[in-house]
mmCIF file of all heavy atoms in Angstrom:
data_model
loop_
_atom_site.group_PDB
_atom_site.id
_atom_site.type_symbol
_atom_site.label_atom_id
_atom_site.label_comp_id
_atom_site.label_asym_id
_atom_site.label_seq_id
_atom_site.Cartn_x
_atom_site.Cartn_y
_atom_site.Cartn_z
ATOM 1 N N GLY A 1 0.169 -6.355 -4.986
ATOM 2 C CA GLY A 1 -0.843 -6.751 -5.958
ATOM 3 C C GLY A 1 -0.820 -8.250 -6.175
ATOM 4 O O GLY A 1 0.247 -8.888 -6.176
ATOM 5 N N THR A 2 -1.998 -8.818 -6.413
ATOM 6 C CA THR A 2 -2.088 -10.272 -6.652
ATOM 7 C C THR A 2 -2.400 -10.614 -8.093
ATOM 8 O O THR A 2 -2.192 -11.760 -8.514
ATOM 9 C CB THR A 2 -3.219 -10.881 -5.779
ATOM 10 O OG1 THR A 2 -4.473 -10.342 -6.221
ATOM 11 C CG2 THR A 2 -2.998 -10.612 -4.313
ATOM 12 N N GLY A 3 -2.945 -9.665 -8.829
ATOM 13 C CA GLY A 3 -3.379 -9.935 -10.217
ATOM 14 C C GLY A 3 -4.743 -10.571 -10.289
ATOM 15 O O GLY A 3 -5.226 -10.912 -11.358
ATOM 16 N N LYS A 4 -5.421 -10.730 -9.157
ATOM 17 C CA LYS A 4 -6.739 -11.354 -9.094
ATOM 18 C C LYS A 4 -7.823 -10.290 -8.894
ATOM 19 O O LYS A 4 -7.710 -9.461 -8.011
ATOM 20 C CB LYS A 4 -6.813 -12.354 -7.939
ATOM 21 C CG LYS A 4 -5.801 -13.471 -8.052
ATOM 22 C CD LYS A 4 -5.827 -14.339 -6.815
ATOM 23 C CE LYS A 4 -4.730 -15.370 -6.862
ATOM 24 N NZ LYS A 4 -4.618 -16.121 -5.598
ATOM 25 N N THR A 5 -8.863 -10.346 -9.696
ATOM 26 C CA THR A 5 -9.933 -9.373 -9.590
ATOM 27 C C THR A 5 -10.679 -9.439 -8.277
ATOM 28 O O THR A 5 -10.994 -8.430 -7.671
ATOM 29 C CB THR A 5 -10.943 -9.561 -10.738
ATOM 30 O OG1 THR A 5 -10.236 -9.487 -11.979
ATOM 31 C CG2 THR A 5 -12.034 -8.514 -10.724
ATOM 32 N N ASN A 6 -10.950 -10.645 -7.789
ATOM 33 C CA ASN A 6 -11.736 -10.780 -6.565
ATOM 34 C C ASN A 6 -10.956 -10.489 -5.297
ATOM 35 O O ASN A 6 -11.536 -10.262 -4.254
ATOM 36 C CB ASN A 6 -12.366 -12.173 -6.490
ATOM 37 C CG ASN A 6 -11.328 -13.274 -6.466
ATOM 38 O OD1 ASN A 6 -10.183 -13.082 -6.838
ATOM 39 N ND2 ASN A 6 -11.723 -14.458 -6.033
ATOM 40 N N ALA A 7 -9.642 -10.519 -5.348
ATOM 41 C CA ALA A 7 -8.773 -10.185 -4.214
ATOM 42 C C ALA A 7 -7.495 -9.561 -4.754
ATOM 43 O O ALA A 7 -6.449 -10.205 -4.795
ATOM 44 C CB ALA A 7 -8.483 -11.433 -3.391
ATOM 45 N N PRO A 8 -7.560 -8.296 -5.203
ATOM 46 C CA PRO A 8 -6.441 -7.704 -5.925
ATOM 47 C C PRO A 8 -5.221 -7.350 -5.065
ATOM 48 O O PRO A 8 -4.140 -7.110 -5.609
ATOM 49 C CB PRO A 8 -7.032 -6.446 -6.540
ATOM 50 C CG PRO A 8 -8.184 -6.100 -5.671
ATOM 51 C CD PRO A 8 -8.715 -7.407 -5.150
ATOM 52 N N LEU A 9 -5.375 -7.321 -3.732
ATOM 53 C CA LEU A 9 -4.283 -6.914 -2.866
ATOM 54 C C LEU A 9 -4.122 -7.902 -1.709
ATOM 55 O O LEU A 9 -5.101 -8.455 -1.204
ATOM 56 C CB LEU A 9 -4.551 -5.514 -2.302
ATOM 57 C CG LEU A 9 -4.729 -4.397 -3.294
ATOM 58 C CD1 LEU A 9 -5.260 -3.162 -2.600
ATOM 59 C CD2 LEU A 9 -3.458 -4.109 -4.043
ATOM 60 N N THR A 10 -2.874 -8.074 -1.278
ATOM 61 C CA THR A 10 -2.602 -8.881 -0.093
ATOM 62 C C THR A 10 -2.851 -8.042 1.141
ATOM 63 O O THR A 10 -3.112 -6.831 1.061
ATOM 64 C CB THR A 10 -1.141 -9.361 -0.063
ATOM 65 O OG1 THR A 10 -0.276 -8.213 0.032
ATOM 66 C CG2 THR A 10 -0.784 -10.179 -1.302
ATOM 67 N N ALA A 11 -2.735 -8.644 2.305
ATOM 68 C CA ALA A 11 -2.774 -7.897 3.549
ATOM 69 C C ALA A 11 -1.608 -6.907 3.553
ATOM 70 O O ALA A 11 -0.565 -7.170 2.969
ATOM 71 C CB ALA A 11 -2.717 -8.835 4.747
ATOM 72 N N ARG A 12 -1.760 -5.821 4.229
ATOM 73 C CA ARG A 12 -0.743 -4.778 4.227
ATOM 74 C C ARG A 12 0.469 -5.198 5.050
ATOM 75 O O ARG A 12 0.364 -5.955 6.018
ATOM 76 C CB ARG A 12 -1.321 -3.455 4.734
ATOM 77 C CG ARG A 12 -1.662 -3.478 6.214
ATOM 78 C CD ARG A 12 -2.324 -2.187 6.634
ATOM 79 N NE ARG A 12 -2.467 -2.147 8.101
ATOM 80 C CZ ARG A 12 -2.938 -1.114 8.761
ATOM 81 N NH1 ARG A 12 -3.341 -0.042 8.093
ATOM 82 N NH2 ARG A 12 -3.034 -1.145 10.064
ATOM 83 N N THR A 13 1.628 -4.619 4.670
ATOM 84 C CA THR A 13 2.842 -4.751 5.442
ATOM 85 C C THR A 13 3.384 -3.357 5.711
ATOM 86 O O THR A 13 3.306 -2.471 4.843
ATOM 87 C CB THR A 13 3.923 -5.615 4.772
ATOM 88 O OG1 THR A 13 4.220 -5.065 3.470
ATOM 89 C CG2 THR A 13 3.464 -7.050 4.598
ATOM 90 N N ARG A 14 3.922 -3.148 6.876
ATOM 91 C CA ARG A 14 4.395 -1.834 7.296
ATOM 92 C C ARG A 14 5.738 -1.526 6.639
ATOM 93 O O ARG A 14 6.694 -2.298 6.751
ATOM 94 C CB ARG A 14 4.540 -1.786 8.815
ATOM 95 C CG ARG A 14 4.799 -0.404 9.389
ATOM 96 C CD ARG A 14 4.862 -0.514 10.925
ATOM 97 N NE ARG A 14 4.719 0.753 11.575
ATOM 98 C CZ ARG A 14 5.733 1.566 11.861
ATOM 99 N NH1 ARG A 14 6.964 1.207 11.564
ATOM 100 N NH2 ARG A 14 5.508 2.706 12.480
ATOM 101 N N VAL A 15 5.821 -0.387 5.950
ATOM 102 C CA VAL A 15 7.078 0.085 5.382
ATOM 103 C C VAL A 15 7.849 0.877 6.420
ATOM 104 O O VAL A 15 9.051 0.707 6.594
ATOM 105 C CB VAL A 15 6.843 0.926 4.107
ATOM 106 C CG1 VAL A 15 8.130 1.525 3.581
ATOM 107 C CG2 VAL A 15 6.148 0.075 3.040
ATOM 108 N N GLY A 16 7.171 1.785 7.137
ATOM 109 C CA GLY A 16 7.829 2.586 8.151
ATOM 110 C C GLY A 16 7.010 3.804 8.505
ATOM 111 O O GLY A 16 6.019 4.135 7.872
ATOM 112 N N GLY A 17 7.454 4.503 9.536
ATOM 113 C CA GLY A 17 6.780 5.702 10.005
ATOM 114 C C GLY A 17 7.465 6.979 9.538
ATOM 115 O O GLY A 17 8.522 6.944 8.904
ATOM 116 N N GLY A 18 6.858 8.105 9.852
ATOM 117 C CA GLY A 18 7.423 9.408 9.542
ATOM 118 C C GLY A 18 7.129 9.916 8.141
ATOM 119 O O GLY A 18 7.653 10.952 7.732
ATOM 120 N N TRP A 19 6.256 9.234 7.417
ATOM 121 C CA TRP A 19 5.971 9.625 6.032
ATOM 122 C C TRP A 19 5.019 10.817 5.946
ATOM 123 O O TRP A 19 4.812 11.354 4.853
ATOM 124 C CB TRP A 19 5.427 8.430 5.252
ATOM 125 C CG TRP A 19 6.500 7.421 4.998
ATOM 126 C CD1 TRP A 19 6.908 6.424 5.860
ATOM 127 C CD2 TRP A 19 7.313 7.300 3.842
ATOM 128 N NE1 TRP A 19 7.949 5.724 5.294
ATOM 129 C CE2 TRP A 19 8.209 6.228 4.045
ATOM 130 C CE3 TRP A 19 7.389 8.023 2.648
ATOM 131 C CZ2 TRP A 19 9.146 5.848 3.102
ATOM 132 C CZ3 TRP A 19 8.307 7.623 1.689
ATOM 133 C CH2 TRP A 19 9.171 6.556 1.925
ATOM 134 N N ASN A 20 4.462 11.273 7.072
ATOM 135 C CA ASN A 20 3.606 12.464 7.021
ATOM 136 C C ASN A 20 4.410 13.751 6.916
ATOM 137 O O ASN A 20 3.858 14.817 6.771
ATOM 138 C CB ASN A 20 2.657 12.505 8.230
ATOM 139 C CG ASN A 20 3.369 12.359 9.550
ATOM 140 O OD1 ASN A 20 4.576 12.110 9.593
ATOM 141 N ND2 ASN A 20 2.645 12.515 10.635
ATOM 142 N N THR A 21 5.723 13.647 6.889
ATOM 143 C CA THR A 21 6.568 14.798 6.634
ATOM 144 C C THR A 21 6.479 15.251 5.163
ATOM 145 O O THR A 21 6.858 16.355 4.830
ATOM 146 C CB THR A 21 8.040 14.507 7.011
ATOM 147 O OG1 THR A 21 8.801 15.700 6.932
ATOM 148 C CG2 THR A 21 8.666 13.474 6.094
ATOM 149 N N TYR A 22 5.943 14.362 4.330
ATOM 150 C CA TYR A 22 5.863 14.664 2.892
ATOM 151 C C TYR A 22 4.507 15.191 2.498
ATOM 152 O O TYR A 22 3.471 14.715 2.979
ATOM 153 C CB TYR A 22 6.184 13.417 2.065
ATOM 154 C CG TYR A 22 7.586 12.916 2.329
ATOM 155 C CD1 TYR A 22 7.798 11.684 2.925
ATOM 156 C CD2 TYR A 22 8.686 13.708 2.020
ATOM 157 C CE1 TYR A 22 9.086 11.233 3.185
ATOM 158 C CE2 TYR A 22 9.963 13.259 2.287
ATOM 159 C CZ TYR A 22 10.165 12.032 2.864
ATOM 160 O OH TYR A 22 11.427 11.590 3.129
ATOM 161 N N THR A 23 4.514 16.171 1.601
ATOM 162 C CA THR A 23 3.274 16.736 1.067
ATOM 163 C C THR A 23 2.757 15.926 -0.099
ATOM 164 O O THR A 23 1.580 15.973 -0.416
ATOM 165 C CB THR A 23 3.480 18.190 0.631
ATOM 166 O OG1 THR A 23 4.542 18.262 -0.307
ATOM 167 C CG2 THR A 23 3.820 19.068 1.832
ATOM 168 N N GLU A 24 3.658 15.199 -0.763
ATOM 169 C CA GLU A 24 3.233 14.382 -1.911
ATOM 170 C C GLU A 24 4.198 13.219 -2.124
ATOM 171 O O GLU A 24 5.412 13.348 -1.928
ATOM 172 C CB GLU A 24 3.198 15.250 -3.181
ATOM 173 C CG GLU A 24 2.457 14.609 -4.308
ATOM 174 C CD GLU A 24 1.971 15.607 -5.334
ATOM 175 O OE1 GLU A 24 2.248 16.810 -5.239
ATOM 176 O OE2 GLU A 24 1.298 15.148 -6.273
ATOM 177 N N LEU A 25 3.645 12.093 -2.503
ATOM 178 C CA LEU A 25 4.387 10.887 -2.847
ATOM 179 C C LEU A 25 4.006 10.471 -4.242
ATOM 180 O O LEU A 25 2.804 10.491 -4.600
ATOM 181 C CB LEU A 25 4.068 9.743 -1.876
ATOM 182 C CG LEU A 25 4.282 9.996 -0.384
ATOM 183 C CD1 LEU A 25 3.692 8.841 0.436
ATOM 184 C CD2 LEU A 25 5.764 10.163 -0.102
ATOM 185 N N VAL A 26 4.990 10.071 -5.055
ATOM 186 C CA VAL A 26 4.713 9.687 -6.435
ATOM 187 C C VAL A 26 5.525 8.445 -6.807
ATOM 188 O O VAL A 26 6.743 8.416 -6.600
ATOM 189 C CB VAL A 26 5.042 10.832 -7.420
ATOM 190 C CG1 VAL A 26 4.927 10.373 -8.855
ATOM 191 C CG2 VAL A 26 4.151 12.014 -7.167
ATOM 192 N N SER A 27 4.842 7.473 -7.353
ATOM 193 C CA SER A 27 5.517 6.309 -7.928
ATOM 194 C C SER A 27 6.218 6.780 -9.194
ATOM 195 O O SER A 27 5.592 7.335 -10.084
ATOM 196 C CB SER A 27 4.490 5.223 -8.245
ATOM 197 O OG SER A 27 5.113 4.131 -8.834
ATOM 198 N N ALA A 28 7.517 6.593 -9.255
ATOM 199 C CA ALA A 28 8.314 7.240 -10.312
ATOM 200 C C ALA A 28 8.835 6.266 -11.367
ATOM 201 O O ALA A 28 9.570 6.693 -12.254
ATOM 202 C CB ALA A 28 9.497 7.979 -9.674
ATOM 203 N N GLY A 29 8.508 4.998 -11.309
ATOM 204 C CA GLY A 29 9.092 4.041 -12.245
ATOM 205 C C GLY A 29 10.551 3.773 -11.822
ATOM 206 O O GLY A 29 10.967 4.097 -10.728
ATOM 207 N N ASP A 30 11.296 3.212 -12.722
ATOM 208 C CA ASP A 30 12.698 2.869 -12.441
ATOM 209 C C ASP A 30 13.590 4.003 -12.948
ATOM 210 O O ASP A 30 14.123 3.952 -14.044
ATOM 211 C CB ASP A 30 13.045 1.546 -13.135
ATOM 212 C CG ASP A 30 14.430 1.052 -12.819
ATOM 213 O OD1 ASP A 30 15.122 1.660 -11.975
ATOM 214 O OD2 ASP A 30 14.848 0.057 -13.438
ATOM 215 N N LEU A 31 13.758 5.028 -12.145
ATOM 216 C CA LEU A 31 14.493 6.216 -12.568
ATOM 217 C C LEU A 31 15.985 5.982 -12.794
ATOM 218 O O LEU A 31 16.603 6.665 -13.606
ATOM 219 C CB LEU A 31 14.319 7.346 -11.535
ATOM 220 C CG LEU A 31 12.939 7.939 -11.435
ATOM 221 C CD1 LEU A 31 12.878 8.963 -10.337
ATOM 222 C CD2 LEU A 31 12.527 8.557 -12.763
ATOM 223 N N ASN A 32 16.590 5.061 -12.077
ATOM 224 C CA ASN A 32 18.041 4.848 -12.226
ATOM 225 C C ASN A 32 18.393 3.542 -12.914
ATOM 226 O O ASN A 32 19.545 3.117 -12.874
ATOM 227 C CB ASN A 32 18.693 4.913 -10.835
ATOM 228 C CG ASN A 32 18.145 3.880 -9.865
ATOM 229 O OD1 ASN A 32 17.205 3.167 -10.190
ATOM 230 N ND2 ASN A 32 18.728 3.813 -8.698
ATOM 231 N N SER A 33 17.421 2.923 -13.552
ATOM 232 C CA SER A 33 17.654 1.729 -14.390
ATOM 233 C C SER A 33 18.324 0.584 -13.667
ATOM 234 O O SER A 33 19.134 -0.143 -14.236
ATOM 235 C CB SER A 33 18.468 2.113 -15.633
ATOM 236 O OG SER A 33 17.813 3.093 -16.413
#
């Protein structure tokens, strides 16, 4: 995220492959503090 309305996101960067093994992904916050 950039915080800018006219360009809110940067170009993408690859995290990795194999994520289609999951049925659901959820942003969970900071679970372990």
Side-chain angles (χ1 to χ4, degrees):
T2 65
K4 300 174 186 173
T5 304
N6 61 341
L9 302 169
T10 64
R12 68 185 189 176
T13 56
R14 190 178 197 271
V15 174
W19 289 84
N20 52 353
T21 188
Y22 299 115
T23 56
E24 195 159 4
L25 303 171
V26 173
S27 178
D30 185 6
L31 291 177
N32 58 355
S33 301

